[in-house]
Amino acid sequence: SASGKSTLCRLITGVWPPASGSVRLDDAEVHTWDRADFGRHVGYLPQEVALFAGTVADNIARMADAPDEAVIDAARRAGGHEMILRLPAGYATEIGPQGAVLSGGQRQWIGLARAMFGDPCLIVLDEPNASLDQAGEAALVEAIGRLKAHRTTVILVAHRPSLLVDVDKLLVMRDGAGVLFGPRDEILPRLMVQRQARAVTAVGS
C-alpha cells in the first residue's frame, strides 16, 4: 500500500507528467499525445471508477456515438454483459451522477467495459477487483485471459496473487520504487518468502 502503484498507472496513461525522464508508447511521449487520439489506443480503469451522468451504454462508449454492437462487445469481453441486462433498462439504464444508482461492483464492471471499448492495444487496470466478490474476481481473471489471448498488453495492479494467474511478469513496488521485477514464476515465490519473513519478524518483535 502507498508504494506508488496508482501514480505509476497515471504516468503510463499520461494523466500526470513525469517529474523527470519520459514515458513512451510506440516511441511517442504519452503526456503530450493528443488525448482523443491516445484514448483510441489505450484503456484505463482507475482505482476510483468515475462514471458520468448518462446511460450505461454512454459510459461504456466513453460518451461518444458508437454502434450498439461495439458497446455490447466491450461489455461481453469484460464479463459484464449479463449484469447489465439485469439492470432496469439494460444498456439504456440512466445511472445518475457518478453512477449513483449502481453498486460498487456494477460500477467496476462498467468501468472495465469502458477500458476495453474500441479494442485498445494497451489496457491499464488499477485494482480492478476492489469491489468484486469471489465470483466476480473469477470472471475478471477470465476477462484478463481473453485480453491476453487477443494479444492485448495489460498492466494490472493487484494486491492478491489470485488475480495474477495469467500475467507474464511482475513488478513489486515498495516506497515508490521497484524492488523486484521479472518473470512471474520467479518473482512470486521470492515475494511470498519475503512476506513470510516479515510476518515472522513482526510476531517475534
Side-chain angles (χ1 to χ4, degrees), residues 17-22:
S20 61
S22 62

Side-chain angles (χ1 to χ4, degrees), residues 2-199:
S3 64
K5 302 184 300 299
S6 293
T7 296
L8 181 60
C9 289
R10 295 184 184 106
L11 290 170
I12 291 170
T13 55
V15 176
W16 289 354
S20 61
S22 62
V23 182
R24 297 179 180 273
L25 177 63
D26 288 341
D27 292 329
E29 176 63 57
V30 297
H31 183 66
T32 59
W33 199 335
D34 177 77
R35 290 286 88 189
D37 185 45
F38 184 79
R40 293 191 299 108
H41 305 286
V42 177
Y44 177 37
L45 177 64
Q47 195 169 6
E48 298 293 331
V49 181
L51 299 178
F52 303 98
T55 67
V56 170
D58 291 336
N59 276 271
I60 293 176
R62 307 180 184 184
M63 308 307 288
D65 290 331
D68 292 342
E69 295 80 6
V71 173
I72 294 171
D73 177 66
R76 285 187 184 279
R77 289 189 291 118
H81 177 67
E82 298 300 328
M83 178 277 294
I84 293 171
L85 292 182
R86 291 193 294 271
L87 294 175
Y91 285 86
T93 301
E94 294 283 346
I95 65 173
Q98 291 294 319
V101 305
L102 303 174
S103 69
Q106 289 170 329
R107 287 194 294 271
Q108 202 88 17
W109 284 121
I110 292 170
L112 182 60
R114 180 177 62 189
M116 294 185 181
F117 178 77
D119 199 19
C121 63
L122 171 67
I123 295 182
V124 180
L125 306 176
D126 190 356
E127 299 208 39
N129 58 335
S131 300
L132 302 181
D133 57 17
Q134 188 173 4
E137 186 170 298
L140 174 61
V141 170
E142 291 181 4
I144 293 171
R146 287 192 293 272
L147 287 171
K148 183 177 178 181
H150 193 58
R151 301 187 65 80
T152 302
T153 299
V154 180
I155 295 176
L156 171 66
V157 171
H159 278 106
R160 298 197 289 269
S162 58
L163 206 59
L164 306 177
V165 174
D166 282 316
V167 303
D168 297 305
K169 293 184 179 181
L170 285 180
L171 168 67
V172 180
M173 295 187 67
R174 190 175 299 127
D175 299 327
V179 295
L180 293 172
F181 178 70
R184 172 189 177 275
D185 293 341
E186 293 180 14
I187 298 300
L188 195 56
R190 292 171 61 186
L191 177 61
M192 302 310 292
V193 168
Q194 287 187 5
R195 285 184 172 180
Q196 291 170 359
R198 286 200 299 272

